[in-house]
Every structure is written in structure tokens, then in C-alpha cells.
Amino acid sequence: MKIKSREQFLETKKEVETLKQIIEKLLEQQDIESYRKICCLMEEKKSIELASENQEIYILQIMTNIQRQEMADGEMRTVFEGRDINKLLQVYRETVFCLRRLEFELPLEERKELITFMLNEQLSGVCIFGILQAARYIYAKEKTLEAFMNLLEMM
């Protein structure tokens, strides 16, 4: 990996901010066409490159993939609905936090918080599965998925 110069670093930062502003404006529209535009935008080569350099863009890339799948599956409520960038980042991070509780087999009451969070945020199973598969910090993915499925059966 080549270390960037200060100018290159600042240029990347500027590109990230520009991309986030475009996404934010599209999210404000809260319609299916704006969601499709975000999906197309995040498929572009430059967006993919920025995702490898910026954590927030990386997370938005994951959430966009989830949105794309939810639209394809005809979900009634999708992850983009009623959310801005900060809320999408928060949903991702809190979901990972809850999934880690399953991975580490914390007490049942703490594991149940994932279901409460899902219901409060109106997250689909597609969203939870997508985050589980994409999250870098969930190592035992199969075990965590099984724990999630068992938790759903208990509820």
C-alpha cells in the first residue's frame, strides 16, 4: 500500500464529503427512484475505491447492498426509509454490537435486545443477514447466524 501525500489525503477527504452530500440529498427525497440512484452511485468505480479508504463509505456501501436486496425482495420497509446517513451508520453499528452479543453467547436478556432493536428500527431479516455477512468484526458468522435464528424461534 502506498502512503498518500497530504494533498492526496485531502483530495480523498473532499471526494468522500462530496459523495456523502450527494447521498444525503438523495436520501432526503425518500422515494424509490432516489434509492435506485444511490444504488447506482455506489456501484461506480470511484465509490468502490472510496469505500476501501473510508469507513463511513464502506458502511454505506454495505447498507446500499442491503437496500438493493430489500427492493429486489419487495420488502415493505427498506433500510433507507426515514433515515439519513448518520442514522444508517448508527443502525449498522448498533446491529453489529447486538450481533456480537450473540456471537459471544451473552446472557439471553442481552441477546434479546437485538430483536427489540430490530422491531424499533423496523429492520428486515435481509438487513440483519446482510450486516452479519459484511461485518468485519463478526468472526463466527455461522454460529452467530444460528444464534439469531434460534433467538427468532424463541420470540
Side-chain angles (χ1 to χ4, degrees):
M1 181 175 155
K2 183 181 172 188
I3 297 176
K4 290 185 169 195
S5 69
R6 182 177 190 284
E7 291 77 24
Q8 290 170 319
F9 177 78
L10 292 174
E11 181 62 27
T12 298
K13 184 177 178 182
K14 182 180 171 186
E15 290 170 345
V16 164
E17 288 307 313
T18 300
L19 180 59
K20 285 172 59 178
Q21 287 173 0
I22 294 168
I23 292 169
E24 196 66 59
K25 284 187 189 324
L26 289 168
L27 285 172
E28 286 173 5
Q29 294 175 26
Q30 289 295 302
D31 62 33
I32 197 75
E33 189 55 39
S34 63
Y35 301 156
R36 284 191 178 107
K37 287 179 183 177
I38 294 169
C39 292
C40 290
L41 178 65
M42 294 303 281
E43 288 176 344
E44 292 177 6
K45 183 181 178 191
K46 189 62 183 173
S47 298
I48 294 167
E49 289 172 3
L50 290 173
S52 70
E53 298 180 37
N54 180 275
Q55 182 187 41
E56 290 183 346
I57 300 300
Y58 174 77
I59 293 170
L60 290 172
Q61 190 76 264
I62 293 168
M63 299 307 269
T64 299
N65 290 338
I66 291 166
Q67 175 69 29
R68 188 179 297 113
Q69 187 60 50
E70 287 176 333
M71 288 188 308
D73 291 352
E75 290 287 338
M76 296 298 294
R77 168 118 167 122
T78 64
V79 73
F80 283 178
E81 285 185 50
R83 295 186 175 93
D84 60 13
I85 287 177
N86 289 331
K87 188 65 178 168
L88 285 169
L89 297 173
Q90 178 187 0
V91 163
Y92 173 85
R93 290 178 177 134
E94 287 187 39
T95 302
V96 169
F97 180 74
C98 289
L99 287 168
R100 295 284 308 234
R101 291 176 175 191
L102 298 179
E103 182 179 25
F104 291 113
E105 300 174 357
L106 293 183
L108 183 58
E109 284 307 310
E110 292 182 42
R111 287 182 278 159
K112 283 182 178 179
E113 288 182 23
L114 174 59
I115 302 300
T116 303
F117 180 71
M118 265 183 80
L119 294 172
N120 289 342
E121 292 296 328
Q122 298 180 342
L123 301 178
S124 69
V126 170
C127 181
I128 301 301
F129 182 75
I131 291 173
L132 170 62
Q133 292 303 312
R136 293 178 178 171
Y137 302 110
I138 298 175
Y139 302 105
K141 294 188 186 299
E142 292 299 320
K143 172 185 165 186
T144 305
L145 179 59
E146 187 176 319
F148 175 63
M149 299 306 282
N150 290 338
L151 189 61
L152 285 176
E153 287 176 9
M154 278 193 270
M155 303 306 275

